[in-house]
């Protein structure tokens, strides 16, 4: 079954939702430290839950890092759905968005710098937040990276 992604008509992902709309998380928590008290889910378990909100801890392989290309001010650039990564329950090369299955998930990154801290092929524990937006054809709301643990 193919999967089509909705695109955003800008080089960068739209401005994140206001902090007041986000679930409360400890403000003092460093960005590189995952929530060790939350249950750890596989991507398949998370997709099966189809949460509409909340913060969740996932563990999987980074199969693709997809930063948006730079777009100079005033230039017209190709649409980009936003800096993101593909998290998967299984290792291996990424075969394309049309092959995303129940074991893969698109995780949006707040910045390109966050993606620069990761490497394709690494197994990582990530804390993610489910947003109220849905810009992909996946049957769930967009998921944003909150924290990342060291490679496992």
């Amino acid at each position: 079954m193919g999967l089509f992604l909705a695109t955003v008509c800008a080089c960068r992902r739209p401005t994140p939702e206001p902090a007041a709309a986000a679930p409360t998380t400890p403000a003092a928590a460093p960005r590189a430290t995952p929530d060790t008290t939350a249950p750890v889910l596989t991507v398949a378990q998370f997709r099966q839950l189809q949460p509409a909100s909340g913060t969740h801890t996932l563990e999987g392989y980074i199969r693709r890092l997809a930063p948006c290309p730079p777009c100079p001010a005033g230039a017209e650039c190709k649409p980009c759905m936003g800096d993101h990564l593909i998290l998967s329950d299984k290792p291996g090369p990424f075969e394309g968005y049309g092959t995303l299955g129940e074991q893969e998930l698109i995780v949006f990154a707040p910045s390109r710098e966050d993606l620069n801290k990761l490497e394709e092929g690494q197994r990582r524990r990530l804390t993610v937040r489910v947003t109220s937006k849905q810009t992909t054809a996946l049957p769930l709301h967009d998921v944003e990276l909150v924290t990342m643990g060291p490679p496992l």
Side-chain angles (χ1 to χ4, degrees):
M1 177 170 96
L3 177 70
F4 297 97
L5 301 173
T7 58
V8 177
C9 295
C11 287
R12 305 206 189 281
R13 191 150 196 264
T15 305
E17 299 169 353
T24 57
T25 56
R31 286 200 45 81
T33 305
D35 180 0
T36 57
T37 61
V40 179
L41 302 171
T42 65
V43 172
Q45 290 169 330
F46 177 80
R47 296 262 322 248
Q48 187 173 16
L49 285 174
Q50 293 187 354
S53 64
T55 302
H56 306 270
T57 302
L58 307 178
E59 193 170 289
Y61 294 93
I62 308 294
R63 293 204 45 205
R64 178 160 195 240
L65 297 171
C68 287
C71 183
E76 288 191 35
C77 300
K78 290 182 179 181
C80 179
M81 69 180 208
D83 296 327
H84 66 280
L85 62 95
I86 303 297
L87 186 68
S88 177
D89 289 337
K90 55 188 178 182
F94 180 65
E95 297 172 11
Y97 292 96
T99 64
L100 284 177
E102 294 299 315
Q103 295 182 326
E104 286 90 30
L105 180 67
I106 297 170
V107 178
F108 290 98
S111 70
R112 180 186 309 259
E113 290 75 30
D114 289 313
L115 290 183
N116 290 340
K117 297 175 187 173
L118 300 168
E119 288 182 33
E120 290 181 8
Q122 289 180 330
R123 184 166 176 80
R124 290 277 189 137
R125 186 170 291 175
L126 307 177
T127 302
V128 299
R129 179 179 66 87
V130 179
T131 71
S132 61
K133 298 176 186 176
Q134 186 170 356
T135 59
T136 71
L138 295 177
L140 54 120
H141 291 240
D142 290 355
V143 175
E144 280 188 330
L145 178 66
V146 177
T147 62
M148 61 189 96
L152 301 173

